Amino acid sequence: MLAAHFATIATAEQVDIDPQALLLIARAAEGSVRDGLSILDQAIAHADMDGGGPVTAEAVRAMLGLSDRGALRDLFALLLAGDAPGALRMLADQVDLGVDPAGVLRGLLEIVHATTIAKAGAAPDPAQSAEEAAAAGKWADGMSFATLHRLWQLLLKGHDEVARATDPHEAADMALLRVIHAGQMPDPADLARRLEGGIVTAPSQPVASSAPADPASFASLIETVKAAGKHQLAYTLSDHTRVIRFAPPDLVVGGPADIEALRAGLRAATGSAWNVTVEEGVAEPTVRERELTAEAEARDAILADPIVAATMEAFPGAELLPQSEQRSIAS
């Protein structure tokens, strides 16, 4: 309705304006006719300053500080693929273009919303382009409602943090990394079962059954070290070591780290010589940090369930506890 109203005004004012630009202005107005008219006036003024040509969607998007929709879709695809370096680079590119990091998070939330609506079979947003609708349909076919709801919660939390942060770009980096590292988590139902048992493990680092001298993952290396009785070394690896590259016998970590102690300890635990080095670069969170993130996201997923939310509201002061703590209280 707003877009149609603004189109009538543009026609009366003899302003040539792209219908997609009108939809962008209507969306930015968020239901306010007065705000929409102000944005329309600004868009016309910008067009006049650029030579008096038509008001295009690209010009309105740039004026509003909105991210390019195609770039947002590419960023969303990188998040789903777990490509942390690629996602961070693309975010930096958008910020360099003058896009507000909070606007990037808003755009990602819109993509999740559109994908969820498409999966539910509802009518698409008329402000969507054909490319956006096609992408939403494709993602809807490949994701469950539980995954989409989890993405929504993660991005919504990230948007709130970015809006409050003193450095929005840094906060947006952390928000995207949290989405990526939570991407391989099981669905909430499985997480609930694991919480009931009081156990939440790092989902992205399954323990492999490879030979001790050639562990298939960093997590399996930690298990090998534990089995060898090197518990202090296992603690160091699990809680304080951030891996940049794991390719036995090479282990590249982010500093600071006692390289000689790690080399000696790994040799004693595995029977093989390890080439441990420190480099600068994007390092993974520690295994312990991933466990804590998984546990926090598991709790968030359960608390976001409508039935659980209603229960918590009905019983003020109620808490969600792991099964082990419930048994302790009961005894």
Side-chain angles (χ1 to χ4, degrees):
M1 291 175 65
L2 277 178
H5 179 61
F6 298 150
T8 301
I9 294 174
T11 300
E13 296 289 336
Q14 298 182 336
V15 174
D16 185 6
I17 184 166
D18 186 347
Q20 189 72 21
L22 289 170
L23 289 171
L24 289 171
I25 293 171
R27 175 181 289 172
E30 296 185 340
S32 170
V33 176
R34 180 165 51 186
D35 289 349
L37 288 174
S38 175
I39 296 171
L40 179 60
D41 285 341
Q42 293 177 44
I44 295 172
H46 275 75
D48 289 341
M49 287 188 294
D50 290 338
V55 180
T56 65
E58 289 75 14
V60 171
R61 186 176 290 116
M63 182 191 75
L64 294 173
L66 299 175
S67 178
D68 176 75
R69 308 303 292 180
L72 278 177
R73 292 194 296 273
D74 291 342
L75 175 56
F76 188 65
L78 290 172
L79 294 179
L80 296 182
D83 186 348
L88 294 179
R89 281 195 302 270
M90 180 158 285
L91 174 62
D93 290 342
Q94 291 294 296
V95 173
D96 289 343
L97 290 173
V99 178
D100 180 11
V104 174
L105 270 294
R106 279 197 303 273
L108 293 172
L109 281 165
E110 289 176 6
I111 290 175
V112 174
H113 176 262
T115 303
T116 308
I117 293 300
K119 189 168 187 65
D125 183 347
Q128 274 188 321
S129 66
E131 292 81 5
E132 287 176 304
K138 177 182 177 181
W139 284 320
D141 290 339
M143 285 189 282
S144 67
F145 278 113
T147 299
L148 288 166
H149 293 325
R150 185 160 67 245
L151 282 170
W152 176 265
Q153 293 296 328
L154 289 167
L155 289 170
L156 187 62
K157 177 179 175 64
H159 177 270
D160 291 344
E161 292 174 350
V162 171
R164 298 193 307 267
T166 54
D167 189 326
H169 188 178
E170 288 185 356
D173 279 344
M174 299 305 295
L176 296 188
L177 289 174
R178 184 165 58 229
V179 171
I180 288 171
H181 288 296
Q184 296 183 6
M185 287 173 57
D187 283 342
D190 185 33
L191 289 169
R193 289 192 294 270
R194 290 160 68 178
L195 269 183
E196 287 176 358
I199 300 175
V200 179
T201 59
S204 60
Q205 299 284 349
V207 177
S209 58
S210 57
D214 187 23
S217 69
F218 186 65
S220 63
L221 173 62
I222 295 175
E223 293 302 313
T224 299
V225 170
K226 287 181 182 178
K230 306 293 185 181
H231 298 292
Q232 182 60 43
L233 176 59
Y235 167 75
T236 299
L237 293 173
S238 174
D239 289 35
H240 299 288
T241 304
R242 291 180 169 83
V243 176
I244 294 178
R245 186 174 72 256
F246 180 79
D250 294 331
L251 174 61
V252 182
V253 300
D258 189 340
I259 299 301
E260 295 304 324
L262 287 176
R263 288 174 179 166
L266 289 174
R267 185 183 184 93
T270 66
S272 300
W274 284 77
N275 178 31
V276 183
T277 57
V278 174
E279 292 183 7
E280 293 185 0
V282 179
E284 297 180 0
T286 67
V287 171
R288 180 56 178 161
E289 286 171 342
R290 287 197 296 272
E291 290 175 351
L292 292 175
T293 298
E295 183 173 352
E297 298 300 343
R299 289 179 59 84
D300 288 346
I302 294 172
L303 291 171
D305 183 275
I307 296 177
V308 176
T311 302
M312 302 296 279
E313 184 177 355
F315 297 94
E319 296 182 56
L320 176 65
L321 300 176
Q323 187 67 30
S324 58
E325 292 188 32
Q326 295 175 25
R327 288 195 295 269
S328 175
I329 291 174
S331 61

